[in-house]
Structures are given as structure tokens and as C-alpha cells.
Amino acid sequence: MLPLKDGDKPVVRKLLSSGCCARCVLRFCCISVQAAYRKPPQETLEELRAFIGNTENGKSQQSASDSHDAAGSEPPGEPPMKRAKLEPVEPGAAVGGDASAVVKVEEEESSVCVACLGILQELSGPTQAVKIAERVKEGEYEFDTLVLSVSLPAQLCVREHSCWLHVKKELREKSAALAKDDVIPVKEAFKWIMQGLVAKELGGVAVVIRSLFEVSVEFTHPETEADCHFLASTCASCFKPTKNKQSVFTRMAVVKALEKISDAVFLKHYAFPPPRPSSSCVPQDVKCLHTSIFIAGRYNKFCRSLPQTPWVIDGERRMESSVEELIAAPVLLSFRAAGFNFSSSGREDVDVRTLGNGRPFAMELLNPHRSKLSREEMKHLQETINKSSDKIRVRDLQIVSREAMGRMKEGEEAKTKSYTALVWTQKAIQSQDIAFIDGIKDLTLDQKTPLRVLHRRPLAVRQRVVHRMITRYLDPHHFHLELKTQAGTYIKEFVHGDFGRTKPNMSVLLKMDTDILELDVESVDVDWPPSIPE
Amino acid sequence: MDGVEQRDTEATAPSVIDRYYTRWFRADMKGKPCEDHCILQHSNRLCVITLAETHPILQDGRAIKNINYQISNCCSRLNNKVSGKSKRGGQFLTDFAPLCRITCTDETEYTIYSCIRGRLLEVNESILETPTLLLEKPSTEGYIAVILPKFEESKRITENLLSREEFETVVSKRIVAQSQPS
């Protein structure tokens, strides 16, 4: 039994005769009993008719006897199909509310609801649930719960607003009030119907309000898109054309305009009841999306001809592969993710090796179909990456939280790094000529933006500190230089001077031309991510 | 690190310029004999303007009396200020825009020109303090200015410039002309 009150009768009558479906009638009567929406729509319709029929007993009996006079056969013009849904009306039987139902039958059943455009009619039910569940199963996602989200065409708001205004008017005459918030939104009713059905189709998975896995259902209704257009003339400020949006009539803009428009202006432009559509909404493809998973680790780079990110100029790849692609390939496979965003605590040049414990990195995996890997599986994934190429090596591979990205970037600015450079000198040197360098502590450099990056960085002077240096003499024109520096120090420019734009530099210190032949990163002194013992 | 063999300094002396830059030249700038400029074009399209080895300033043991970046009453290259990644505010130069005027101790005066179209990023202030840098290291620490050509023009700017080979041909022709009896 529906929790309807006498005061609801005029509302039910008005909406049914205007082309609303049974479930929408429930909504405007503020019925918040979820089970009511899950009953077959036909049942609900009959209950509603029975409900309004009670006051019209006299009238209906008369019309029933009229139809009986027509030899008890079906009134002309009614297609037999529709009649079959109801129990056949036997001549002479007590008719009560049924008779008025008979007369109105083809109006409600054949037409698409003017308020929900079919969404709460044939578009919500077991058939739809099966379709949704099928799409989810196709994706072979790993998930514990899911959230069902639904996107409705913007013009639904306009139709809803129209129905509400007229219901409000109907009630005002009986001195009752109806706030727009009390009306059950189409979206909510849809979810009440579908969540349980989808859950059942997917083996009882919990369909919740917030989840890592989202199943999105979208409906469009091209036929009635123009319903919103009048709002552009009444509320031009809400509809500013933007470059990227295809239609200016977004749901948000329409809602905003409806908030602003006065009842009188609305009623002038938009008729009640809203025009009956000839077809239902069109369901778009069901979209499944799992929130991103983040993994982190540290990488070594042993190759002097490997860029960190793909090197592409004018659509042409300049160098084969990259650190991020070599790491990403096995990871994307394991997590069955669609794509990734790679991020690291600083970068090294193509021709620079990264030794020692390696450089911290993190990867966001987009729409992963698998989200949980055990420690064993992560270890195995790490081994797969390491076996796939001798140019890189990964360690401490682990799943981390989204906040991880921030931890890693803080290392980029704040922490120290250690390097070894192979330095060439123009003049011949002996080991005692470079010994003094070992005694220099916390040398402050003024580095103008190096010319090699000046095309894409602002011109500025940066102060950076070289904490300490250790020299290892090789031969009269070469020595190894170990340095420990502040993050963000340009090592190559410190050695060759960059046209004198880094001061002081090694040339100035040694009073001769110097150049850097090789550079290795020995350590990136960030204690994140946590190390995983092998 | 890898083992290192003895490297022959003379033959294979490494240089930043050789690794990352292409040398272009403009000879006899504005018709003035031998006032040759060398433009170092980085692979990222930035250009460093320098004096070519053949420039008169670098000949005959000249010494520099004064370098002036004030090229007119209202324009000083020292006032050039760029901001942001797109280097807004930098003075836009055409081929024959003067960068600075150099006066030598023997009273000879020379104007150094931009040679290319582009936005002026910086001029070398170190040579104001230490003019000998210009004489001793004209290709590196003694550079004059850094210019960023427009992205669309970056490939075309070399159309008016001589490659190293072409420049060397021009220079050798001068030597021949000089040695011929007039």
C-alpha cells in the first residue's frame, strides 16, 4: 500500500492525465519509500488509479455501464495488445476504479513519460540492469564495491520544474505546500530501482555511495534538447559560450537559470504539460572507471643514451625508448591500466647515468582493471622490469597513496644530491694542482639559467651550494670530481662555466679551460619511498 | 666510472661549443671590412652573438678603452628585462640593430650588431668589468649577447648567414686579395 494522503489526489490526477508515468507521480507525492519504486510500473499505476478512483465511484460506474452497452466488447479503436495487460473487464462485474482505468489505458501505456522521458519506465528495470552488469563483467575489473552514477539530459530539469510549478499550484488551492527539495529527484529514484538489481546481477557486490570503482550510465534525448533553449533568452548570463564545451546548455547552467527565473516568466515560455516525446531517452555506452592507483620506487639508469621521457620533436622520435616507457610497460600490463603519469624527484640528462640507490619516482596508473597486488606479485613485477632491459633497474617498487606524489616532489627542492664528474683540463696538471679543491666547503654559486635550458625556463640567477668536493687525479688532462650539492645545482655548468654565466666555476678555480666529459648521479638523498628489503 | 685512455689534447680537445652549437658567420657587417661576427646557434635555437676571430678588435694587439651598451639617447641594452618563460619584455632586434659600441685605446670605434632577428635576452655585463675577457675569450666568456629568435623564424634566420666553410672561403679570398700587388 502506498503511503498516499487524500491531499495527494488532485496531484495524482493532474499528473497522470498530463502524461506522467506512475513512478514520477510517486516522486511528486514525495514518496520516499524505496520499495515503492521497485514494483513493476504497471502495478504502481493500478494502485494510483485505485487511489484516485475511490472518490469517483459514481462517475466510473456510469461510464462502465456505458461501455457495457456497447455489447461488452472492446471500445473501438483500442489495440488488443493494451487490453491484454489488464484482467479482462467482465460485463456486469463491480467496476469501481477499474473502469476509469480502462478508458485511460492507452494514454499512459503507449506514451513516454513527459517528466522522466522514459528513464523511470522501460529504462530502469532488470533488462537494463543485465546490460549494465554485462559491460562491467566485460571489463574484468577487480573491485569490492561500486558506485553507480547516472547522467541525465539537461532538459529534464526544465520538465521537472514545469511539473513542480503546476503541482504547487494545484496544492496551493488546497492550502498545502510543496518545496522543490521534497520532490524525489529522477536520479535518486533511478538509483533506488537500479542499485539493487545491478548488485544482484554482479553476484551481490555492494553498490554504495562512494567507491573506488564507478559505473557511469548516461542518457541523452536529442528530440527534446530544444526544451532548454528559451532559457538563453531569459537568463543570458548563465549561458556563456566556451571554447571547449560543445553545447552551452550544460546541466549546471540550466539548473542555475531555473533558480533565477521567476515562476511567471517560466510559465510564459514553457507549457504545462510538457510536450509528449515520441521516444524514450537513448542510453549511451556504460562507462567503467577505477580511480587511479599509485606506485613508487627508485630507478637506476645505466645507459648514456636513454632519455627519461620520450624524446619526440615534430612528431618524430629522436631517441629510442625512455626510462618511463621501460618501467611503465610491464606495470601497465600487470595492473591492466589504460595509461600512466610518470613523475620523479628531479631528472638527469640523456647522457648521465643514475647509480647508487637510484632516483625516487612515482607513477599514477589510470583506470587500472586490477588494483591490488600482493607483496609477492610486486616483487615479481619488479623482477620483470629488471629483466626486460639492462639499461635500467628498479628497486623498492610498491603501491603508495596519492599523497605520495607530494612527498617525492618535496625531495626535489630540499634534498642534496651526489655526483661524479670526469673533468678535462686544457693545461697539463699534477695531482697537487687539484688537491686544494678537496678543502673547499659550502661553495656558493651564482648560476644564471643555463643556455641549454634557457629557451624553456625563465631567465634568473640562482644561488646554489656545492657542499663538498673530492678529486681523484687520473692523468695530466683528466681527473674525477666527486661533488655533494644542493638540489637544483647544474653540475655541467659548474664544470665548464656556461660562457662564464655560472660563477664561480671549475675553470675559474683552476685558472684554465675545463670541460665535463661524463657525469654520473651517485645518490639522490631522499628517504622516500620506504626501502623494501630484497 | 669507465676507464679512460690518454686523450690527445690538441687533436680531440672537447668543447661545449662543438657539442651543442653550430657556428654561423656574417662577414663585413654593414659593409665595414672585416667586421665579422660569429653567431653560435644552440640546438634549442638560442643564439649567442660573439666576435669572429677575424674582427679588427681582436687584431694588432688592441686594447679596449670602453664598452657602451647605451646605443641611443633612449635605448640602453643594459635596461633589457625579460620575465617569465616566454621572455616577455625583451627588446626586439632586427639584423642591423646595434648591440654595443666598443672604443679601443687607439681611438678606433666599432659597433657590434645583432646579425639576426629575435628577442634580446641578455647582454654580457662581465665584459664591462673585465674587457680583457672579450680579447682573450671572444667565443666564450667574452660573448656579447644572447638572442632568442621567434619560434616560426628559428629555421630561417640562417638564410642570411654564412656557414663555417663559406666564411672560411670569404676569409681566404681576402688574404689572396691582400697579397696581390695593387
Side-chain angles (χ1 to χ4, degrees):
Chain A
M1 272 305 293
L2 294 168
L4 290 164
K5 310 173 292 293
D6 269 355
D8 295 325
K9 283 188 187 171
V11 174
V12 176
R13 224 174 268 130
K14 179 131 199 186
L15 291 176
L16 280 180
S17 62
S18 310
C20 272
C21 70
R23 286 167 173 169
C24 281
V25 173
L26 293 184
R27 295 193 300 109
F28 282 98
C29 294
C30 311
I31 305 288
S32 55
V33 176
Q34 296 188 18
Y37 296 85
R38 295 186 189 131
K39 287 205 283 216
Q42 198 47 44
E43 257 185 62
T44 312
L45 181 59
E46 281 166 27
E47 274 194 61
L48 286 174
R49 288 200 191 124
F51 172 70
I52 51 172
N54 287 340
T55 51
E56 298 188 335
N57 255 335
K59 277 197 222 164
S60 51
Q61 275 182 338
Q62 183 150 39
S63 58
S65 44
D66 285 347
S67 63
H68 290 329
D69 291 343
S73 58
E74 300 165 317
E78 279 195 61
M81 257 296 269
K82 308 269 167 32
R83 294 294 304 274
K85 288 193 186 173
L86 285 180
E87 289 151 86
V89 177
E90 281 164 278
V95 281
D98 288 343
S100 54
V102 165
V103 168
K104 289 179 189 167
V105 119
E106 65 275 21
E107 283 180 6
E108 281 97 354
E109 287 185 36
S110 59
S111 59
V112 176
C113 172
V114 298
C116 70
L117 297 176
I119 287 172
L120 296 179
Q121 296 175 287
E122 66 216 32
L123 291 175
S124 49
T127 327
Q128 284 296 317
V130 166
K131 282 198 189 140
I132 295 172
E134 247 156 56
R135 281 302 304 244
V136 174
K137 286 181 202 158
E138 269 170 36
E140 287 178 36
Y141 280 88
E142 194 181 77
F143 57 93
D144 297 324
T145 62
L146 71 87
V147 62
L148 183 67
S149 75
V150 55
S151 172
L152 304 173
Q155 57 269 35
L156 239 60
C157 304
V158 174
R159 288 168 168 261
E160 188 84 350
H161 196 86
S162 167
C163 292
W164 171 63
L165 284 182
H166 281 84
V167 167
K168 211 170 57 157
K169 194 165 72 156
E170 197 74 26
L171 288 177
R172 208 180 301 130
E173 288 161 13
K174 322 279 169 171
S175 56
L178 178 64
K180 201 171 191 190
D181 286 345
D182 293 336
V183 174
I184 309 297
V186 175
K187 212 179 251 200
E188 236 184 297
F190 180 84
K191 287 186 183 178
W192 287 344
I193 301 166
M194 294 303 285
Q195 279 171 346
L197 294 173
V198 170
K200 197 179 84 176
E201 288 299 322
L202 291 173
V205 72
V207 180
V208 292
I209 305 178
R210 267 182 38 186
S211 169
L212 299 174
F213 183 56
E214 181 186 12
V215 177
S216 307
V217 173
E218 191 191 348
F219 295 103
T220 58
H221 201 249
E223 187 193 321
T224 55
E225 264 164 30
D227 280 7
C228 309
H229 291 181
F230 75 91
L231 289 170
S233 56
T234 59
C235 264
S237 59
C238 293
F239 300 99
K240 293 204 188 84
T242 54
K243 273 180 279 184
N244 24 346
K245 294 258 146 61
Q246 293 152 314
S247 169
V248 141
F249 297 101
T250 61
R251 208 182 156 74
M252 264 184 64
V254 169
V255 166
K256 207 162 153 206
L258 289 173
E259 275 167 21
K260 283 174 146 187
I261 197 173
S262 73
D263 292 357
V265 175
F266 182 92
L267 292 170
K268 208 165 58 171
H269 283 88
Y270 198 75
F272 181 83
R276 285 179 203 267
S278 58
S279 60
S280 286
C281 279
V282 181
Q284 301 299 297
D285 277 345
V286 172
K287 290 195 183 74
C288 299
L289 179 69
H290 196 291
T291 61
S292 296
I293 291 288
F294 295 84
I295 64 161
R298 301 180 83 106
Y299 73 82
N300 287 107
K301 176 157 109 68
F302 301 122
C303 176
R304 290 198 191 281
S305 55
L306 186 70
Q308 200 208 49
T309 53
W311 195 341
V312 179
I313 298 183
D314 298 332
E316 216 184 281
R317 188 179 273 267
R318 288 305 164 92
M319 219 163 219
E320 210 186 290
S321 196
S322 61
V323 172
E324 72 170 38
E325 286 168 298
L326 289 175
I327 297 176
V331 171
L332 288 181
L333 229 59
S334 283
F335 283 88
R336 288 189 277 127
F340 68 95
N341 285 326
F342 184 90
S343 181
S344 64
S345 182
R347 270 190 306 202
E348 61 285 312
D349 289 342
V350 171
D351 56 353
V352 174
R353 296 187 306 179
T354 308
L355 309 175
N357 265 352
R359 186 182 295 278
F361 72 90
M363 276 177 69
E364 178 183 4
L365 304 177
L366 305 171
N367 201 7
H369 291 229
R370 266 199 84 180
S371 53
K372 291 200 199 95
L373 257 64
S374 67
R375 262 223 159 156
E376 280 306 306
E377 290 172 305
M378 287 302 282
K379 268 216 171 91
H380 182 73
L381 175 57
Q382 187 174 288
E383 271 170 44
T384 308
I385 299 172
N386 292 336
K387 285 205 193 93
S388 72
S389 168
D390 55 2
K391 296 181 181 175
I392 57 151
R393 195 205 149 169
V394 164
R395 74 177 74 216
D396 304 333
L397 196 66
Q398 55 197 273
I399 296 178
V400 294
S401 68
R402 187 181 278 269
E403 289 66 48
M405 300 293 239
R407 285 295 317 270
M408 190 189 53
K409 284 301 183 185
E410 90 189 12
E412 193 167 327
E413 293 292 305
K415 309 290 184 169
T416 58
K417 322 249 161 106
S418 304
Y419 303 87
T420 303
L422 176 58
V423 181
W424 168 88
T425 60
Q426 187 208 21
K427 296 191 199 147
I429 52 164
Q430 292 168 355
S431 58
Q432 50 260 50
D433 298 326
I434 54 174
F436 75 96
I437 293 174
D438 292 33
I440 302 176
K441 297 282 182 266
D442 296 324
L443 175 66
T444 304
L445 312 176
D446 287 317
Q447 298 200 286
K448 274 196 194 168
T449 309
L451 291 176
R452 64 185 167 96
V453 299
L454 185 53
H455 64 295
R456 57 182 167 83
R457 293 264 169 85
L459 178 61
V461 181
R462 293 171 190 84
Q463 287 205 324
R464 290 289 184 264
V465 179
V466 178
H467 295 295
R468 61 150 213 272
M469 294 181 273
I470 300 173
T471 56
R472 284 181 288 138
Y473 180 84
L474 260 184
D475 65 51
H477 288 282
H478 302 91
F479 67 94
H480 279 126
L481 177 68
E482 291 172 26
L483 315 94
K484 183 161 175 182
T485 72
Q486 183 183 0
T489 310
Y490 287 95
I491 307 299
K492 291 179 178 176
E493 277 69 17
F494 170 61
V495 175
H496 64 59
D498 190 35
F499 291 74
R501 297 167 73 258
T502 287
K503 289 184 220 172
N505 56 66
M506 194 51 64
S507 299
V508 162
L509 292 175
L510 291 179
K511 299 192 181 55
M512 64 182 79
D513 281 354
T514 53
D515 201 356
I516 180 168
L517 301 181
E518 281 173 3
L519 181 60
D520 290 337
V521 177
E522 297 290 354
S523 73
V524 175
D525 305 323
V526 178
D527 53 14
W528 182 92
S531 75
I532 308 239
E534 304 271 318
Chain B
M1 282 181 109
D2 337 10
V4 171
E5 312 98 36
Q6 273 284 356
R7 288 169 215 243
D8 179 23
T9 331
E10 288 304 318
T12 61
S15 109
V16 172
I17 296 178
D18 289 330
R19 281 205 295 280
Y20 301 115
Y21 296 84
T22 311
R23 288 181 174 83
W24 297 96
F25 296 85
R26 263 199 116 130
D28 311 310
M29 199 60 189
K30 271 210 159 172
K32 300 196 189 141
C34 294
E35 286 190 28
D36 307 328
H37 295 51
C38 176
I39 299 98
L40 300 172
Q41 186 193 37
H42 193 281
S43 49
N44 68 16
R45 86 183 198 276
L46 270 168
C47 292
V48 184
I49 312 301
T50 68
L51 297 182
E53 299 276 329
T54 47
H55 199 284
I57 295 177
L58 305 175
Q59 316 303 321
D60 309 323
R62 282 193 172 86
I64 294 177
K65 190 164 92 171
N66 175 251
I67 300 177
N68 194 355
Y69 281 112
Q70 182 95 34
I71 53 153
S72 74
N73 278 343
C74 37
C75 183
S76 166
R77 298 305 180 200
L78 290 176
N79 292 339
N80 193 65
K81 282 228 164 22
V82 292
S83 64
K85 245 190 263 191
S86 33
K87 321 295 185 296
R88 263 185 286 262
Q91 295 164 6
F92 194 81
L93 307 172
T94 54
D95 299 41
F96 295 108
L99 289 172
C100 63
R101 289 191 223 288
I102 299 179
T103 315
C104 298
T105 48
D106 63 358
E107 299 308 316
T108 47
E109 261 186 42
Y110 304 92
T111 304
I112 315 300
Y113 297 96
S114 165
C115 302
I116 56 166
R117 279 171 58 89
R119 205 187 281 274
L120 179 64
L121 298 191
E122 68 179 43
V123 291
N124 190 354
E125 295 186 27
S126 308
I127 56 176
L128 291 178
E129 299 152 30
T130 322
T132 45
L133 276 177
L134 181 52
L135 300 172
E136 287 163 21
K137 299 261 170 73
S139 299
T140 53
E141 278 107 305
Y143 73 97
I144 307 290
V146 178
I147 299 177
L148 178 65
K150 279 193 194 178
F151 186 75
E152 316 83 69
E153 293 179 12
S154 48
K155 298 214 170 83
R156 281 177 23 221
I157 55 156
T158 55
E159 279 166 13
N160 290 336
L161 304 175
L162 301 169
S163 70
R164 196 176 198 174
E165 280 158 13
E166 291 166 340
F167 178 67
E168 278 164 11
T169 314
V170 167
V171 171
S172 51
K173 283 201 183 125
R174 280 183 200 154
I175 296 172
V176 167
Q178 278 168 6
S179 62
Q180 275 178 355
S182 46

